[in-house]
Every structure is written in structure tokens, then in C-alpha cells.
Amino acid sequence: MDGADDRLESGSTDDDTAFGTSGSAAPAGWQQGRPEWPARLPSGTAKEKLHSYLTAHQAGADARELLALLFSGAGSDPELGTRIISGILGGDPNFMFDAVTGLWSLSRASTLRVPLDQADFVVLDLETASGRPTPGSIIEIGAYRMRGRQILEPFQSLLKPRMRIPRFVARLTSISDEMVAAAPPVEDVLPRFRAFMGDAVMVAHNAQFDHAFLDFEFRRLFGIGLLNPVLCTLRMARRLLPSLRRRRLELLAEHFGLSTAGRHRGLGDARMAAELLSIFLEMASQMGMNRLDRLLDHYSRGVAGRRIERHVAPEVVAAIPQRPGVYLMRNQDGDLLYVGKATRLRDRVGSYFNGHSHVSGKIAELVNHVWQIETRPMRSALEAALVEARLIRELKPPYNRMLKSAAPAWFIRVDLSDPFPRLQAVQRLTSRTGVLQLGPFIGRRNIEHSLRALSRLLGLRSCSGRLEPHEDFSPCIYGQIGHCAAPCNLSVSEDLYNQQASRAISFLRGRSGPILSDLMRARDQAAAAMRFEEAKRHHRSLAALATLAERTTRLSRVVTENNLVIVVGGHWAEASAAVNADDRLKPVSNECPVAYVILSGRLALKREVDSPQAGCAVAQFIAQNYDLYKLRPVVRTELEAMTIVARWLKERAPTDGRIVSINGAVFDPAWLWN
């Protein structure tokens, strides 16, 4: 696989190639300035904390900044801070103080205090046969040594992997099993490459990918990880070129007029990244960053310019199970900061510490305060979402009010009690009676555009509030230009308006053919009459409504028409109609399956099905409550679970639970494990 930015451009944050996916891998995102674990000093000492902090900040920090790490609220007396920090660090040769700048730093950081035009870089790119670090998975190394902006000698070698090269990797890179059959293994190539790198700064496009593979092999072969400072040209591109929407390696090369020859091969990609680095170094110098340590320190910060401090060891993240669940983030004192849910806990938690430069300032602030992570594995993503909502409601973590863990779900609402109903896109379900609610949909822009097109086509109003029609009332601009039938001034009768509203509801419930046919006919007639602007407008509306019709039919439905049982968790070895025969039903896994009974869109019952008798109890509950829930109005306390269930039904994976539809009050318990 390619070590460039193909993964990050997809928007994925749960990538197994991020640092920390293996117990032996380096800390996630510790590439800038080569943060590493501090020397094995006594755990929790003041010197250890300062050492770890300065390791991540090669440019140094002043005494007040360091004092704030040790004492909450300290630093109001600068002379006191200077004396305290000097007393702790003054006699230790691992630390040094610059009297000119007033900054403390690590002594070894002095080797990085060189002008950019004298700094040594090794720009590299790896091609790999797998998506995550495994022994012998690197199939090609391409690299260039640089001194400042000058490109010097290259390094290139194919490597013989320990596995077959996947077909899609061979197509992407043109590297086949035959090409690497006679190549040396990684055990022979890596010592030569380590000598080629020396103490230079490692540079790559999407450096976390390449660093993860090299660090894994370094630890396996040499007993110590990759210690070189690391710089990522993708991160630099995000900071230096914020107006560019896509920053893939070849797109950046084309942006600057560079050659893209050799794309998806190690040396070709390394050459492009080296030329980009040369350009970025010139841009950084023009911004006043003309020293290597300052450049490394600058790109260890998030987009808000904040320094991101990581207090959670990578071994802790690597030990988190890869299954659905919730995670609780706590500060140094154990106070709860944030509660989140995940389909894959280890990937989700690791994404906070993977060093992505596009992290928001609020998330950076959260990560800076996280010292402990508690995880609670669940049977399914549905259970995780329900537990997360309950914990947030009960515990009210401060950062849950600031952060949103997922794109909001949107619902289409039609108030059937309104004499002149309109189509609305809303985020919250309502408990009012007589309201049709359909969804969920993800993405506000698309759903609102589709609803506007449908309302314009049928002449439905978009204004809010109840109408009091009067013939002298002056309609709004939409009524004046024909986008609304203008019921406000009696241009259309209530009966005729409601006929159009009924057509909209039929469309939303899946009967889209008549409206789409009318729209196609109007488009074709306008085009035949050479009214091309009108035809173009009809064509845009047709595309929007066709998309909405497909999403409505395939992904969504009226929320209150959900009647089903969701079965998650363990499964059973055998099912029988004779559900009272205990000896014929044996759970295969240690976890009993759990049944979630959804009646009229509401979570009516959650029950562990640990025996045939429990299955009979679920069937009895459905028989007693099916008709009652159809008649009973929705209450406010049910809305949260309704939203969670509706969204889970839309986004669930095929392995995340089994759905048993309910079409009446009669339910066979055997369906729970068939």
C-alpha cells in the first residue's frame, strides 16, 4: 500500500495504521519533534513531567509555563517560578537554560537549533503489502537525502515481503510477486537504510503511516524504535495552504507545477515529497520560522496553534478491546470530562491521539486534560449509543456540551393537524400528536435542498407559523414568483392545497413515480419549447427528488411505523418450535442475546434472552402492548431512544444485530434465535 495521504483524504479517523495499534508501536502522532517516552525516572516525579513536556517542545518553554504543569494556578510570581524550576532542573545535564530567550529545553535539543538551510532531512515513501504494520510487510523503500532545500543522493530498494502482494496493491504500485521474488528481505535492507538516515529529520507525506511501519520494524530488528524527529508534508500543506480542499501528493505536485512521474512508487513519491518540502521550507522561512527546532515545534501543534499534550500511554490504547462500547475520559484527578461511544473502541479512542493536524481547538483542549480512559464494552453499537445517552444525561460531562461526536441526524416533519401543512427538516423528534416524522437522514444541505424542490414543485408553503388566509393579504416573494401556491391570500383552496400536501406525503412514503414522471415531462416540454433555463431548473429538481426518493425508500421510513425486535449479542446452537425444551437450546457464546422490542418507533422493552422462558416473556409482552403503543401518544422521555434506534437502523452493519419485523400482536419466540 502507498504511504501517502490516500487514507487521510477519505476522512477516516479510525485507521488501524495509526500509531498505537500494536503494543510495540510508537505513540500515536508523536511525530513532530520526535516526542518519545521520557527516561525511566521514578513515575510521577516533577522532573519526569518536565522532561516529557520538553521532549514534545524542542523549541523550549519558559519557567512560568513549566511551573503551570506542576502547580495548578501557579505562575503569578515569575521570580518564584524561576527559582523553583531552576532548583529542579539546574543541576541536571539533561536540561539547559538559554539566558537570552529565558527558555528551558532538553540539552539534546541543541542539535536541532540549526538554520533550515543547514538542516538534514531524509524524505521517504514506503510501499507496503498490508494496511497495518506486520513483520516483513514493506515491499519498497524510496528516499532522498536533503540538506536544507537541496536534494542530494537517493536510496531505493525493493524488499521481499513475508506475504503475497494483494492484487489491488499490485495494480496500484505495479509491484508484483515476481518483481520482489529475488529482492532482499527487510532484515538486510533496514540496517543500510538506518545508516542512510543517520540523525536526519524523517519527512513523508502522511508521515504517521510511514513512521508506523518503520518504527515497528526498528523495534523488531534493533530493539529500539525510530528516534529521528519527524515532519509531515501533509500536515504542513494543511497549515500553509488552507485554501486547498484536497492535498493528495500528486494534486499538490500539480498545484506547484511539479512532475508526477513515478506516482505510487517509492522513489517517485519520495521525489515529489522532497520537492514539496523544498517549497514549504521556503514558505516557512518567509513566515519567520528559519530554525529547525522552531519548525518542528510549530508543527506539533493543532490548527488552533495549541500544543497538544498526551498523557495516555500507547500501551493503554493498544489494550482497549476492538468492539462496540462507550469510553469515559477523565482528568488527572479522576473527574469525568467526556463520554463517547464507538463501534470499535480501540480505533475510536486512538483517533484522539493520532496527531492529525485537523483536530479542532476544543478537541485539542480535551486531549490536553485527559489522563485516564475507562472503557465499557457492549454487545452492539445500539447498546453503546443508548448507554452513552444515559450517561451523558445523568453525569453531564462538561466536554459533551462542547463537542459533537457524530454528524446530526435530520428528520422530515409534516404537521398533519395544520390546515396548510409544510415540509420541515428538523433535528429533534416531537411528541406532539398528528405529526408525521420520517427519517433519519444525514446531511442537512441535501435534505433541505430536496424538500425545497418538492415544495416548489407542488406549491407548498415554506413560511412558518399558522396561516390566517385573507384575500387582501400580500404573499411573500415565493408566492409572487410561483414557487408557492399562496394559500395565505386564498389563491388556492384548503382542499386543493391538501391534495398537493398528500402527494408530497405519498412521495415521502415511497410512492415517488407520479411526481418524478410529471417532472420529467415538464423538463422535456420546456426543452422542446427551447425554454432551456426552465428545463435546466426542472432537471436540477428532478435530480434532487430522485435522490430523496432513493434515500426515502432504501434508508428511511416513518419513525412511528417501526415495529420490530432487535436481537444482539450471543447466538444459540439450535432453535426449535418447542421453546420449552430447555435442553435443546444452548447458548453458543458466553453472552446471552438481548432483545430490544420496538413498538411504534419506541423502545418498549429490553430483555436478556437467557432461556426459552425469557423468549416467551418477550412474546407475551408484545401481545399485550402492540395495540396499546399504536394508540398511545409519544411522550417526551421516549424521544431520545426513538432517535437512537432510528439512526441505528439506518447505519447498522450487517453483523450488528438481527432484525425481526413485527406485523401484529402475535410473535413466535422461536424467531428470536432463528
Side-chain angles (χ1 to χ4, degrees):
M1 295 188 67
D2 195 341
D5 56 317
D6 302 73
R7 292 177 175 273
L8 291 187
E9 288 294 346
S10 67
S12 172
T13 58
D14 295 336
D15 191 344
D16 289 339
T17 62
F19 296 133
T21 57
S22 170
S24 61
W30 285 21
Q31 60 259 48
Q32 312 302 336
R34 182 47 199 154
E36 60 181 278
W37 288 115
R40 295 300 181 187
L41 300 175
S43 176
T45 65
K47 187 175 293 186
E48 178 183 344
K49 295 178 181 178
L50 298 177
H51 186 284
S52 177
Y53 187 80
L54 292 174
T55 298
H57 303 100
Q58 304 287 358
D62 61 27
R64 296 183 64 182
E65 187 175 352
L66 296 177
L67 189 67
L69 296 173
L70 305 179
F71 307 103
S72 177
S76 57
D77 184 350
E79 294 184 2
L80 175 62
T82 300
R83 291 196 301 271
I84 292 177
I85 299 301
S86 297
I88 296 174
L89 305 181
D92 193 322
N94 291 313
F95 302 88
M96 61 177 294
F97 178 71
D98 188 336
V100 177
T101 62
L103 300 178
W104 285 91
S105 61
L106 298 181
S107 299
R108 66 179 183 181
S110 60
T111 60
L112 302 176
R113 292 194 179 96
V114 296
L116 289 182
D117 59 0
Q118 299 178 19
D120 290 323
F121 304 94
V122 169
V123 187
L124 62 89
D125 182 80
L126 305 181
E127 306 297 338
T128 66
S130 67
R132 65 182 65 192
T134 57
S137 60
I138 301 174
I139 60 176
E140 185 179 29
I141 299 177
Y144 281 93
R145 175 177 288 279
M146 296 180 62
R147 171 64 61 86
R149 298 180 56 204
Q150 184 180 5
I151 300 177
L152 305 176
E153 75 263 35
F155 180 101
Q156 191 276 334
S157 178
L158 291 172
L159 292 83
K160 184 177 181 179
R162 294 188 179 184
M163 73 283 290
R164 294 184 63 84
I165 298 176
R167 186 175 304 173
F168 81 94
V169 175
R171 287 198 301 264
L172 181 68
T173 65
S174 72
I175 301 175
S176 63
D177 290 314
E178 292 75 15
M179 290 177 60
V180 298
V186 67
E187 290 80 2
D188 293 344
V189 176
L190 216 54
R192 291 192 289 116
F193 184 67
R194 183 170 66 165
F196 178 82
M197 286 193 67
D199 296 327
V201 177
M202 173 193 146
V203 184
H205 202 70
N206 185 15
Q208 68 170 18
F209 181 92
D210 303 85
H211 185 282
F213 279 83
L214 281 179
D215 188 80
F216 178 87
E217 295 290 12
F218 268 53
R219 290 174 181 268
R220 185 174 69 88
L221 299 178
F222 308 132
I224 188 170
L226 184 63
L227 300 179
N228 300 60
V230 182
L231 197 60
C232 180
T233 53
L234 176 61
R235 171 175 292 213
M236 296 181 74
R238 287 197 176 105
R239 299 288 292 276
L240 295 172
L241 305 169
S243 61
L244 290 184
R245 297 189 60 183
R246 295 181 67 88
R247 303 177 185 88
R248 298 169 67 93
L249 184 58
E250 72 273 19
L251 296 180
L252 287 171
E254 292 173 357
H255 175 77
F256 288 107
L258 308 176
S259 172
T260 58
R263 178 65 173 127
H264 296 304
R265 287 298 301 268
L267 203 60
D269 284 350
R271 176 190 51 77
M272 279 187 279
E275 293 174 346
L276 283 176
L277 176 64
S278 179
I279 296 172
F280 290 161
L281 290 179
E282 181 180 10
M283 296 173 68
S285 297
Q286 293 173 353
M287 295 168 59
M289 286 181 290
N290 51 13
R291 212 169 71 181
L292 179 59
D293 60 332
R294 292 172 180 168
L295 183 74
L296 293 171
D297 186 59
H298 178 74
Y299 287 102
S300 68
R301 308 182 185 197
V303 291
R306 303 187 182 195
R307 291 175 171 173
I308 301 177
E309 304 303 319
R310 297 167 177 84
H311 311 294
V312 179
E315 301 93 273
V316 174
V317 177
I320 295 174
Q322 192 72 297
R323 59 179 299 178
V326 298
Y327 55 94
L328 293 83
M329 293 181 165
R330 302 181 183 275
N331 63 15
Q332 194 171 9
D333 298 325
D335 301 324
L336 182 63
L337 300 176
Y338 183 75
V339 174
K341 67 178 185 303
T343 302
R344 307 197 314 171
L345 276 171
R346 183 170 66 241
D347 285 351
R348 183 69 185 102
V349 173
S351 69
Y352 288 93
F353 305 95
N354 62 13
H356 287 173
S357 62
H358 56 264
V359 64
S360 70
K362 292 179 180 179
I363 293 181
E365 182 182 349
L366 169 64
V367 173
N368 288 342
H369 290 86
V370 174
W371 287 74
Q372 307 167 40
I373 296 178
E374 174 190 348
T375 58
R376 300 181 184 180
M378 305 289 171
R379 294 178 177 88
S380 72
L382 174 60
E383 183 178 14
L386 292 169
V387 171
E388 178 205 36
R390 178 177 58 81
L391 291 176
I392 292 174
R393 185 174 61 253
E394 295 176 354
L395 303 179
K396 297 180 175 58
Y399 279 88
N400 283 96
R401 295 193 296 269
M402 300 167 56
L403 305 175
K404 294 183 179 179
S405 59
W410 290 83
F411 295 86
I412 297 175
R413 178 186 297 173
V414 184
D415 187 355
L416 302 179
S417 64
D418 191 330
F420 301 96
R422 62 192 179 103
L423 308 180
Q424 297 176 266
V426 298
Q427 284 186 259
R428 297 179 180 274
L429 295 174
T430 180
S431 59
R432 289 167 46 205
T433 58
V435 176
L436 177 70
Q437 301 176 100
L438 186 143
F441 300 92
I442 306 301
R444 175 181 180 177
R445 182 175 180 179
N446 288 336
I447 191 64
E448 288 189 337
H449 177 63
S450 300
L451 292 183
R452 282 197 299 269
L454 183 59
S455 297
R456 182 173 63 248
L457 178 66
L458 298 177
L460 302 183
R461 69 187 183 98
S462 58
C463 54
S464 60
R466 293 269 176 167
L467 293 184
E468 296 182 2
H470 192 278
E471 58 185 5
D472 295 330
F473 190 85
S474 177
C476 65
I477 184 63
Y478 295 108
Q480 296 176 27
I481 63 177
H483 288 185
C484 172
C488 53
N489 70 349
L490 300 178
S491 295
V492 61
S493 67
E494 181 177 337
D495 290 340
L496 185 57
Y497 183 94
N498 277 277
Q499 289 180 20
Q500 296 295 82
S502 297
R503 293 185 67 195
I505 294 172
S506 296
F507 179 94
L508 295 174
R509 303 192 71 167
R511 294 183 288 276
S512 57
I515 288 181
L516 294 181
S517 298
D518 290 347
L519 196 54
M520 292 175 63
R521 189 160 42 252
R523 179 197 61 185
D524 296 341
Q525 290 175 353
M530 302 183 69
R531 299 192 302 272
F532 298 119
E533 288 296 327
E534 180 183 347
K536 185 177 181 180
R537 185 174 66 252
H538 287 319
H539 183 75
R540 288 197 301 264
S541 298
L542 180 64
L545 293 183
T547 300
L548 177 61
E550 191 272 340
R551 296 175 72 188
T552 302
T553 302
R554 185 170 61 87
L555 298 177
S556 304
R557 59 182 300 172
V558 178
V559 177
T560 53
E561 292 180 358
N562 285 325
N563 290 283
L564 44 94
V565 177
I566 302 169
V567 184
V568 299
H571 58 285
W572 296 74
E574 182 181 355
S576 169
V579 293
N580 290 325
D582 294 358
D583 58 339
R584 300 198 61 190
L585 292 170
K586 303 294 184 183
V588 173
S589 68
N590 292 329
E591 290 183 347
C592 295
V594 175
Y596 294 87
V597 178
I598 312 300
L599 298 178
S600 297
R602 285 159 277 183
L603 178 58
L605 176 70
K606 174 188 174 183
R607 174 70 184 265
E608 284 194 357
V609 189
D610 53 359
S611 67
Q613 288 76 16
C616 292
V618 171
Q620 184 179 7
F621 177 87
I622 294 172
Q624 295 174 348
N625 292 275
Y626 182 84
D627 292 326
L628 294 178
Y629 270 82
K630 290 179 71 69
L631 298 174
R632 184 172 65 80
V634 177
V635 297
R636 185 172 297 276
T637 55
E638 298 171 327
L639 296 177
E640 182 179 65
M642 290 177 69
T643 303
I644 292 172
V645 169
R647 180 159 189 161
W648 180 86
L649 290 171
K650 177 184 186 302
E651 299 179 341
R652 74 183 186 94
T655 57
D656 191 21
R658 184 166 52 87
I659 295 177
V660 182
S661 297
I662 304 175
N663 297 316
V666 178
F667 183 83
D668 187 345
W671 294 341
L672 294 172
W673 36 78
N674 275 347

